[in-house]
Amino acid sequence: MIHKTTLAIAALCAGLAQPVLAADLIGFWDSPQKGANGFNATPQDQAYFKALSDTGASWLRLSFSKWKGQGQDFLIGDADDYAGLAPQDLASLRKVLDAAEAEGIKVVVTPLSLPGARWTQQNGGKYDDRIWSEARYQDQAVQFWKDLAGALKDHPAVAGYNILNEPAPEKNGGPTENAPQQELDTWQAAQAGGLRDLPGFYSRIIAAIRAVDPVTPIMVDGGWFANPRSLAAWPAALPDDRVLYAFHMYEPYAATSAPNMKREKPLRYPGAETEYAGGTLAWDRDAVAAHIGAAFDWAEAQHLPPGRIVAAEFGCMRRWQDCGTYLTDVLDTVEARGGHWAFYSFREDEWDGMDYELPTDLPPGRFYWLTEQGQPEKLPRDGKLMQILRDRMR
C-alpha cells in the first residue's frame, strides 16, 4: 500500500512539472514601464532587441502587420474573410518573440489590421469601416483574437495583447476628433449595444481571450485613433481587472507631423494654435498636460490606478526644431501622473521621421540610400533627441 505522504509528494512533483503560464505579467505593469514602438516592415532579430535593451527600455509595442505573410494580411490571412491563423506567419511571430525574450524585452502584440478593418496604408489609403458596420467582421475579429491568445498565452515575452491599433468607430458619422467633450460623451452613450460601441466590442474580444487565456494583460486603445478624450467618453471601465487603457499623443498634430516640415514657416511649439473642443487652443506645456490628463482623470473617476494608463505612442518629427521641448513636456506629464509610455519609434526600417537616434541634421535621403544599399549600420546614431529618452529609461 502506498503511503499518503508518498502520494502527496508525487502530486506536488506532478504540479511542479506542469507548464507555468509565463504570460501572467500583470505585475510587470505595477510599476512604470518605459519602452518603444516597433512597427517595422521586416521581422526584428535579436540584434534589434539587444540595441533596444541597451537604451534602458523594458518593453516594445510590436506590430506584425507590415510583415510579408502567407496571405494578403500577415497572420490574419485575409482581412476580408478570416479563416484561421496562418501557421507560417505564427511561426515567424514566435521567432521574434523568442528574440525579445532572449534580451529581456517584454512585448505587447499589436495588430494594425483586424478582419474587416484592414490598415489604411494597406487599403489604398481608405479607412476600412466594415468592422464597425457589419457584425460578421466583429465575429471574425473575436475568433482571431481567441485563436491568437490560445497560441501565445504561454510565451514568456508577451506582456499584453493590444486588441487594435488606433480604432476609429467615430470616423463615419460620429463627432469630429477634437469635438467638445459633451459631444463625444453623448455620441458614445448613444452607441451602447451597437456595432460602433467600442467598449462593447472590446468586452466581446476580452471574453473570447479569457476563455483560453485567463491571465495575460490586455491593452485597449480609445476611439478616434486612441485620443485620450475619446477614452474619457467611455461610461465605465471594462469588466476585467487586467486591462490597460492606452492613448496616443501627437497633438498638436498640425505641428508634430510630417506636413508641418513642408511649410515655409513650420508651426512652433509652444505657441501653435489648432481647433480644439469647439474653439482654438494655443499649445504649450499646460495644454499638453490637460489633453493627456483626460485619460488619467477618467481612470481616477473609475477608481483605476494610474498604472493602468499607457501613453502607447507619442512623438514628433526629429528634424522639427521644437521636438526636444515637446518630447520633454509629454514625458514630464505622463511620468508625473504615474503612467507607462512607449515612444514612436525605435529603428523603423522604412521611415526615419521619428527615429531619434539619427541626428536632426541628417537628411532623409541619406537614410533611404543606406537602407536600400543594405547598409543601415552605417547610419550615425548619436542623435541628441534619443538621449532625452535614454535618460528617462535608465
Side-chain angles (χ1 to χ4, degrees):
M1 182 175 182
I2 300 175
H3 195 277
K4 291 182 179 179
T5 302
T6 304
L7 289 172
I9 293 173
L12 176 61
C13 291
L16 292 174
Q18 295 301 310
V20 176
L21 284 175
D24 187 3
L25 285 171
I26 194 62
F28 174 75
W29 301 103
D30 286 343
S31 58
Q33 300 299 327
K34 303 168 183 180
N37 281 268
F39 282 28
N40 290 17
T42 301
Q44 291 90 333
D45 58 15
Q46 191 166 335
Y48 174 94
F49 288 104
K50 174 64 165 62
L52 178 60
S53 178
D54 287 347
T55 69
S58 61
W59 71 291
L60 182 74
R61 186 168 172 265
L62 173 75
S63 182
F64 51 78
S65 297
K66 295 182 182 180
W67 302 349
K68 182 175 177 57
Q70 289 179 248
Q72 180 176 354
D73 304 288
F74 188 90
L75 200 58
I76 297 171
D78 185 354
D80 297 329
D81 187 16
Y82 173 70
L85 299 177
Q88 293 178 18
D89 296 354
L90 179 61
S92 296
L93 175 57
R94 292 189 67 90
K95 184 177 180 180
V96 174
L97 294 174
D98 291 345
E101 177 62 17
E103 296 299 333
I105 295 293
K106 297 305 179 188
V107 171
V108 173
V109 178
T110 308
L112 305 181
S113 299
L114 284 180
R118 183 174 285 118
W119 184 41
T120 299
Q121 293 186 40
Q122 295 174 340
N123 197 47
K126 180 181 179 181
Y127 182 75
D128 190 353
D129 189 70
R130 292 174 297 169
I131 198 169
W132 311 122
S133 57
E134 299 181 43
R136 65 190 178 106
Y137 287 112
Q138 293 200 3
D139 293 342
Q140 290 179 25
V142 168
Q143 187 61 53
F144 167 77
W145 264 113
K146 184 175 183 180
D147 294 344
L148 186 57
L152 298 182
K153 63 180 180 179
D154 294 332
H155 200 288
V158 177
Y161 305 131
N162 196 162
I163 292 175
L164 177 61
N165 180 68
E166 296 189 345
E170 307 95 334
K171 187 172 176 63
N172 286 358
T176 58
E177 185 171 359
N178 277 314
Q181 190 65 48
Q182 184 58 53
E183 290 185 21
L184 297 171
D185 295 350
T186 299
W187 183 86
Q188 181 60 59
Q191 306 313 306
L195 291 176
R196 296 185 187 275
D197 180 9
L198 186 57
F201 170 70
Y202 283 150
S203 294
R204 288 191 64 201
I205 298 278
I206 291 169
I209 291 174
R210 292 295 179 238
V212 296
D213 179 354
V215 296
T216 302
I218 295 171
M219 189 175 292
V220 296
D221 293 9
W224 259 128
F225 306 116
N227 191 309
R229 297 174 68 246
S230 291
L231 173 63
W234 290 9
L238 297 172
D240 189 292
D241 60 4
R242 291 169 178 261
V243 171
L244 301 158
Y245 299 85
F247 68 88
H248 296 179
M249 179 58 181
Y250 297 104
E251 294 290 354
Y253 186 77
T256 63
S257 60
N260 189 38
M261 305 305 297
K262 298 179 181 179
R263 301 179 197 270
E264 184 176 347
K265 292 184 177 180
L267 299 178
R268 300 295 307 275
Y269 176 86
E273 294 188 3
T274 66
E275 293 182 1
Y276 187 86
T280 300
L281 180 66
W283 287 88
D284 57 14
R285 185 179 178 86
D286 290 340
V288 163
H291 183 73
I292 290 174
F296 288 97
D297 292 345
W298 174 83
E300 185 175 353
Q302 304 303 321
H303 307 291
L304 295 171
R308 290 294 182 266
I309 299 295
V310 187
E313 282 188 32
F314 63 93
C316 44
M317 295 297 291
R318 67 171 172 86
R319 301 182 70 209
W320 181 42
Q321 66 188 103
D322 300 316
C323 190
T325 302
Y326 176 81
L327 289 175
T328 298
D329 287 353
V330 171
L331 289 164
D332 283 350
T333 298
V334 175
E335 292 181 356
R337 296 299 299 262
H340 314 283
W341 56 258
F343 68 88
Y344 194 95
S345 62
F346 186 70
R347 297 194 182 182
E348 189 166 342
D349 53 0
E350 287 190 317
W351 186 60
D352 74 332
M354 294 184 181
D355 188 335
Y356 309 112
E357 289 184 307
L358 304 179
T360 56
D361 59 356
L362 181 75
R366 184 65 175 166
F367 168 85
Y368 295 113
W369 187 83
L370 286 172
T371 300
E372 290 170 1
Q373 295 298 310
Q375 299 177 323
E377 72 279 358
K378 292 187 177 181
L379 286 166
R381 294 204 170 274
D382 57 352
K384 293 181 179 179
L385 291 173
M386 190 62 195
Q387 193 59 48
I388 294 173
L389 296 162
R390 284 177 179 268
D391 289 346
R392 305 278 183 146
M393 290 189 290
R394 289 177 173 170

